[in-house]
Amino acid sequence: MATPSAHEYPTHWEADVVLRDGGTAQVRPIVPDDADRLVAFFDRVSDESKYLRFFAPHPRLSARDVHRFTHHDYVDRVGLAAVVGDAFIATVRYDRIEPAADGAAQAEVAFLVQDDQQGRGVASVLLEHIAACARERGVRRFVADVLPANSRMMKVFTDAGYTQKRSFEDGVVRLEFELEPTERSLAVMHAREQRAEARSVQRLLAPRSVAVIGVGRRPGGVGRTVLANLLAAGFTGRLYAVNHAYPEGQDRLLPEDVPARRSVRDIDEPVDLAVVAVPAARVPGVVDDCGEQGVQGLVVLSSGYAEAGAAGRARQRDLVRQARGHGMRVIGPNAFGVLNTAPPVRLNATLAPEPAGSGRVGVFTQSGAIGIALLSGLHRRPGAVLTGVSTFVSAGNRADVSGNDLLQYWHDDGATDVVLMYLESLGNPRKFTRLARRTAAVKPVVVVKGARHSASTPPGHAVPGTSVPAETVGALLRQAGVVAVDTVTELVDTGLLLAAQPLPAGPRVAIVGNSDSLGLLAYDACRAAGLRPLPPHDLTAAAAPGDFRAAVAGALADEGCDAVLVTAIPWGIPGPLGPRGRVADPDVPALAAVPGPQDAGALADALRAAAAGATKPVAVVHLEIEGLPGALAAPPDGIPTYPAGERAARALAQAVRYAQWRRRAADPGRVPEYDDLDPAGAAADIAGLLGERGRAAGDEGGVPPDWAPDAARRESAAGAGRAAAGTAGRSGAAEAGAGGTVTGGGQAGAAGEAAARTPGYASAASAAPPADVEGVPVDVPERAAARVLGRYGINVLPALPAPDPDAAAAAAARLGYPVALKTTAVHLRHRPDLGGVRLDLAGEDQLRLAHAELTGTLGAAAEVQPVVQAMAPRGVDTVVRATVDPGVGAVLSFGLAGAPSELLGDLAHRLVPATDRDAAELIRAIRGAPLLFGWRGAQPVDTAALEELLLRLSIFVDEHPEVVSAELSPVVVAPRGVSVLSAALRLAPPPPRIDLGARRMPRY
């Protein structure tokens, strides 16, 4: 692996970051052209700050200083700057020094932060990024000399979470800290990330002043509609209408009587949020005006961006780059708007004709149409007071602010109890699942994902597509605690229940109602949804509200019940109808009474009284009882209603699964540590297989990933080609700135799956070709794959080529009888029906005969590529896979080999890295799992060994981002131990992994 030559600019070190106050900045390497910027920055720093950084008065930079601080080799001398607009606000630099006594490569590091930028978390962000650069260049330890009075800088170092030690000499505090990420340093980074991103969203959702740019002079139009909605909502801050076409001297927009300005620059007070509703061609000028005015964030309603093709994608990238350059975040473009119903804010900067009322549900959508449907549905639905909205964001193309940012915000938002999300793509799936898991541990996150079956990215979303089936995506989301639903209707149904009712302790559902037929339908719906309904309790059509109250109260008190589903139809005792539909003579048959609003109120009061204080959820299914949903929804403890039993049952089933996940999340398991892993050896093997060019991309497109957990692996990966360590004394650092069968007994049909990609035949004999610079995957020969996997304790049963009978006999003599003879040609793989496998060959005569039959029937040896393999103990054939999908992330999959997984799709999936609990659940999640546990009297197999194999493969894939896919098939699970008969491994230079390492915002 080659280290980039001196002066080769590392583009992948550039990053957009969110600061502690929610503003943005760019972090990038310092270059010679930055000389003027550096001098101007230094002039803005106070004399006191200069003294604390340089240990002496240093009023200005000499020409020599400027040259030194702007010329770097990006290996032994690295300088980074935090930039807002075109100006530096902070710098950091490291200079490599002599290795430590223990041989560790080390460097001195120092910072300088502009005085008016201190307290924004700039130094903490720069420390993360300079540490990532240093790790990439093989530096393992930072040394910093700090004056005792510089408590702020010492806090930056000590709070970072790295392992460190401190000493005091000659009036200077020396801090030494290892750059190896620790659990604490990662926790600190994630906590800072959460606070910064949540704050950046809070600035968008709770502005003190809003300028709507593009408000027409005549009624109608997008800008004027948004302005009208802001006024109708009673926005508590200051409003401005902006349009460059307003006549000179016009200062009010009538009849709204809102201050009017030709440009946002003409507003003589701070503007927190700008809603942009002008043609795309005019947006760049508007963004510059907003940046100069100090606007904190933009909601861009304008279209004509990535959804419009290649030119629009370029325009969208320019928009984000321009806005971030001014420290602003962007919702959109092509957005529908934002909403915050909190009484101190009352912000409705949307185009919604019917916004939902105030409530405790947060909503995020990537589609304006779905946003309209959700808000209108919540507004119109009877009883919608239960699911009134706290905050709403429709992000359109979500070029900047995404669902991840909103999850960061909602995690700590006391005004939001339930999160509803409509997503069409996941820009950073690893981060999404991490954030969703954390948020779901405290409040439900309900998601409906569009474009599940199209295997394509929706227009405007500049993110990778996915080839993972929709069922797999749903399973992975559920593993992260997400309540994954299929439709927008189900999204609202489930959110309604989760917002209003306690979580059920289990799947047992009591059904109480006054209609035997409706009760039976509800019973069937519960069974279909995976619940365990109790026999329906029919109160008969003669039931009065008091009967409902007694029955529901009794069901809630029953320890054998976890939830109650009430079914109700219009009620009354048979007889002629008196006034208001009441019975005049119960002895005379007649039509049933139809309850009016007061009767619905009486039933609602009875049900609410029965459910008061209950710790079990109650839901109501009713048919044509006017006024009941609204009466049941009245605060403070409303009960959700549904027009059909199927919808109520699905919502209850989702609540049950979520409650089960919450209980499991309290003990998620752990990723085990195995003493026999050799990540350094595996990294070296992979580097050799890919070749130096293929290995050139690391964590952000460079050499080894800075997030990798094992220092030895990164040391071996980063050491090659590194320039000799330079030397820099304290003064130099101070100048830098601041401070039995092959296939198993019962599953013999899967024998053909042991399709070994074995050395000895033409295509597999040579080493794998290096991946090209574009990252085209490399299929690794099986012997090389077995060697790499063996570094992680995954031992593949050897298979030796048998091009002729003599070679087959020699291979069998080496492996020991009994053996199997099988073909490995591509066209014969996974086709046991063609007879390409001969098992239990006990001697040489049988082997020679089998070889003759095989080649005589299926073709010459060069065509069918036979191999000889030792027999494995009999057991159950399984398949274990790990794949990295750009739209989902790394996925670990398990199933039974052959038809169950290939034909029936009986596979289970978990996200990587998997915990021991994930592995145990994974093998039990498939429908064919009973075969592993002694089905029909068979001997149970060694599931503990199988779980360990799954965990080892998960760790391997997680620690080596070059792995595109790994498949072990078949894996024979015997009563004692497992045997891996064949392994396939695919590698490629890794793409940037923006979910790990130093904090950064994605660039789409």
Side-chain angles (χ1 to χ4, degrees):
M1 169 189 54
T3 300
S5 61
H7 307 296
E8 180 181 330
Y9 182 80
T11 305
H12 64 284
W13 287 354
E14 294 180 353
D16 295 327
V17 297
V18 183
L19 303 178
R20 182 182 299 157
D21 63 356
T24 65
Q26 183 190 41
V27 174
R28 64 168 176 82
I30 298 174
V31 297
D33 288 345
D34 288 323
D36 291 341
R37 295 183 186 88
L38 183 66
V39 171
F41 159 71
F42 195 79
D43 289 343
R44 292 191 299 271
V45 176
S46 69
D47 291 339
E48 180 184 6
S49 293
K50 293 173 183 175
Y51 181 85
L52 291 175
R53 304 309 188 264
F54 293 101
F55 302 176
H58 204 109
R60 63 185 55 86
L61 296 175
S62 67
R64 181 180 179 184
D65 291 335
V66 173
H67 183 274
R68 174 173 173 77
F69 298 158
T70 57
H71 289 71
H72 306 93
D73 61 10
Y74 305 118
V75 178
D76 295 328
R77 302 189 319 279
V78 173
L80 302 178
V83 186
V84 174
D86 194 44
F88 286 3
I89 63 171
T91 62
V92 65
R93 176 186 175 91
Y94 82 69
D95 289 86
R96 194 188 297 261
I97 59 177
E98 291 291 342
D102 60 2
Q106 57 182 357
E108 287 189 316
V109 64
F111 295 80
L112 185 60
V113 181
Q114 192 171 304
D115 294 69
D116 61 357
Q117 300 294 324
Q118 294 177 14
R120 300 186 67 198
V122 184
S124 298
V125 169
L126 284 177
L127 177 58
E128 291 177 16
H129 283 264
I130 197 72
C133 300
R135 286 193 297 266
E136 185 174 313
R137 297 306 190 232
V139 176
R140 294 294 169 259
R141 183 177 300 152
F142 270 167
V143 176
D145 291 335
V146 184
L147 290 176
N150 196 353
S151 58
R152 188 185 294 269
M153 189 52 59
M154 282 193 283
K155 182 173 175 60
V156 170
F157 290 125
T158 56
D159 288 353
Y162 294 109
T163 303
Q164 63 177 268
K165 62 181 180 179
R166 180 183 302 196
S167 60
F168 185 80
E169 182 180 354
D170 297 333
V172 174
V173 178
R174 166 156 285 211
L175 298 172
E176 299 181 22
F177 50 98
E178 306 297 323
L179 300 185
E180 181 72 18
T182 65
E183 287 188 13
R184 182 168 177 264
S185 70
L186 292 174
V188 167
M189 182 185 70
H190 289 158
R192 288 173 172 168
E193 172 194 64
Q194 190 272 327
R195 289 193 297 269
E197 293 180 357
R199 173 60 180 158
S200 73
V201 172
Q202 194 271 339
R203 299 201 319 176
L204 294 165
L205 293 178
R208 293 162 297 181
S209 57
V210 175
V212 183
I213 304 173
V215 177
R217 289 176 289 176
R218 293 182 296 274
V222 172
R224 198 124 186 182
T225 300
V226 171
L227 183 67
N229 288 341
L230 283 163
L231 291 167
F235 176 58
T236 59
R238 298 174 301 281
L239 277 177
Y240 297 91
V242 178
N243 190 327
H244 75 289
Y246 290 156
E248 290 282 355
Q250 178 179 344
D251 61 357
R252 308 294 293 183
L253 180 70
L254 299 175
E256 293 89 346
D257 195 28
V258 171
R261 300 291 185 270
R262 289 170 56 85
S263 168
V264 73
R265 293 178 187 243
D266 298 333
I267 299 174
D268 55 4
E269 61 181 337
V271 175
D272 293 336
L273 179 68
V275 180
V276 181
V278 301
R282 289 188 49 218
V283 169
V286 169
V287 174
D288 276 339
D289 288 346
C290 290
E292 293 297 326
Q293 180 64 16
V295 174
Q296 294 184 348
L298 305 174
V299 177
V300 181
L301 308 181
S302 312
S303 60
Y305 288 89
E307 79 282 1
R313 284 193 293 272
R315 190 179 300 120
Q316 182 167 299
R317 285 193 294 270
D318 291 341
L319 165 65
V320 174
R321 187 180 301 112
Q322 185 183 12
R324 289 178 178 175
H326 288 292
M328 298 182 293
R329 300 215 65 182
V330 178
I331 292 177
N334 198 27
F336 184 69
V338 298
L339 179 72
N340 184 352
T341 64
V345 182
R346 297 202 297 271
L347 173 77
N348 179 13
T350 74
L351 298 168
E354 295 177 315
S358 177
R360 304 187 63 80
V361 176
V363 180
F364 175 85
T365 172
Q366 293 177 354
S367 162
I370 299 300
I372 294 174
L374 278 171
L375 290 178
S376 296
L378 292 172
H379 177 76
R380 294 176 178 178
R381 180 167 180 161
V385 66
L386 291 177
T387 50
V389 171
S390 60
T391 45
F392 166 89
V393 173
S394 178
N397 295 359
R398 64 139 182 79
D400 180 17
V401 173
S402 70
N404 287 347
D405 296 290
L406 271 297
L407 285 175
Q408 299 277 38
Y409 172 76
W410 282 322
H411 177 263
D412 289 332
D413 180 28
T416 300
D417 292 336
V418 177
V419 172
L420 306 183
M421 307 183 80
Y422 171 77
L423 305 176
E424 293 176 344
S425 60
L426 300 176
N428 187 342
R430 288 174 179 260
K431 182 175 180 179
F432 176 81
T433 53
R434 170 170 62 84
L435 299 183
R437 181 181 287 110
R438 187 189 60 187
T439 303
V442 295
K443 61 188 68 173
V445 178
V446 190
V447 172
V448 59
K449 190 174 184 303
R452 297 193 306 274
H453 300 287
S454 65
S456 62
T457 302
H461 292 213
V463 298
T466 178
S467 59
V468 173
E471 295 78 8
T472 304
V473 174
L476 297 176
L477 291 177
R478 284 189 287 274
Q479 183 197 349
V482 170
V483 181
V485 299
D486 293 329
T487 66
V488 173
T489 299
E490 193 176 355
L491 182 75
V492 176
D493 284 346
T494 305
L496 184 70
L497 183 73
L498 291 171
Q501 294 293 303
L503 294 176
R508 300 167 299 179
V509 180
I511 300 174
V512 176
N514 63 349
S515 166
D516 181 57
S517 298
L518 190 57
L520 290 174
L521 288 173
Y523 180 91
D524 292 341
C526 288
R527 289 290 300 269
L531 299 170
R532 289 166 51 191
L534 306 177
H537 181 186
D538 182 18
L539 302 176
T540 76
D547 299 318
F548 275 92
R549 176 175 179 174
V552 171
L556 289 170
D558 183 2
E559 294 185 357
C561 159
D562 301 310
V564 176
L565 183 58
V566 179
T567 59
I569 61 171
W571 69 91
I573 302 173
L577 301 181
R580 294 190 49 75
R582 298 193 180 280
V583 177
D585 184 353
D587 296 324
V588 180
L591 295 174
V594 179
Q598 291 185 359
D599 301 291
L603 177 59
D605 290 342
L607 294 176
R608 288 162 62 90
T615 58
K616 302 174 182 178
V618 177
V620 175
V621 176
H622 73 98
L623 297 182
E624 301 302 329
I625 302 181
E626 180 185 357
L628 182 62
L632 281 172
D637 46 4
I639 298 174
T641 59
Y642 300 89
E646 295 82 0
R647 290 171 60 176
R650 284 195 294 267
L652 274 173
Q654 294 285 11
V656 168
R657 285 191 285 269
Y658 172 65
Q660 292 171 340
W661 181 89
R662 283 278 292 265
R663 290 189 291 271
R664 291 196 304 269
D667 180 21
R670 64 182 185 88
V671 177
E673 298 180 1
Y674 297 109
D675 295 334
D676 59 344
L677 305 187
D678 181 13
D685 290 343
I686 291 172
L689 289 164
L690 288 175
E692 291 187 353
R693 289 174 59 203
R695 182 68 177 182
D699 179 49
E700 300 295 342
V703 286
D706 66 83
W707 48 267
D710 189 276
R713 173 166 68 87
R714 289 197 306 276
E715 184 67 45
S716 70
R722 180 170 58 80
T727 303
R730 177 184 301 169
S731 60
E735 292 174 58
T741 76
V742 172
T743 61
Q747 302 289 320
E753 291 211 2
R757 284 140 299 266
T758 308
Y761 295 100
S763 63
S766 60
D772 68 17
V773 73
E774 299 297 326
V776 175
V778 169
D779 289 316
V780 178
E782 179 153 348
R783 181 171 294 180
R787 182 176 65 250
V788 175
L789 292 168
R791 306 279 193 180
Y792 278 73
I794 302 171
N795 299 313
V796 182
L797 205 63
L800 303 179
D804 54 59
D806 292 338
R814 178 178 171 184
L815 296 173
Y817 290 98
V819 297
L821 179 70
K822 57 186 181 181
T823 62
T824 61
V826 173
H827 67 286
L828 297 174
R829 293 174 186 171
H830 309 294
R831 292 299 307 276
D833 55 304
L834 297 181
V837 179
R838 301 292 190 275
L839 305 176
D840 286 317
L841 304 176
E844 184 175 336
D845 291 344
Q846 290 185 10
L847 177 60
R848 289 181 178 274
L849 179 60
H851 193 282
E853 293 176 347
L854 200 70
T855 54
T857 303
L858 299 177
E863 180 182 355
V864 300
Q865 300 180 11
V867 297
V868 173
Q869 193 170 48
M871 292 294 297
R874 292 182 181 273
V876 177
D877 283 6
T878 64
V879 57
V880 175
R881 298 190 184 105
T883 58
V884 179
D885 183 87
V888 176
V891 180
L892 183 68
S893 303
F894 170 77
L896 300 181
S901 59
E902 294 180 18
L903 182 61
L904 303 179
D906 188 15
L907 288 164
H909 314 275
R910 290 295 184 272
L911 294 168
V912 170
T915 66
D916 51 3
R917 183 162 191 161
D918 291 332
E921 293 175 352
L922 184 61
I923 66 173
R924 291 163 174 80
I926 60 172
R927 296 189 296 276
L931 291 172
L932 303 171
F933 296 95
W935 186 61
R936 288 189 172 180
Q939 187 175 2
V941 298
D942 192 348
T943 54
L946 178 59
E947 291 170 14
E948 180 177 330
L949 178 69
L950 288 163
L951 290 167
R952 287 177 178 272
L953 185 63
S954 169
I955 295 170
F956 168 70
V957 172
D958 187 53
E959 292 188 350
H960 298 280
E962 301 88 348
V963 177
V964 175
S965 64
E967 177 174 336
L968 312 178
S969 176
V971 175
V972 182
V973 190
R976 292 189 61 183
V978 297
S979 300
V980 180
L981 304 189
S982 179
L985 183 63
R986 174 170 286 192
L987 305 174
R993 291 183 61 169
I994 57 178
D995 57 309
L996 297 166
R999 285 175 284 163
R1000 61 175 57 213
M1001 289 189 284
R1003 290 180 174 178
Y1004 299 119

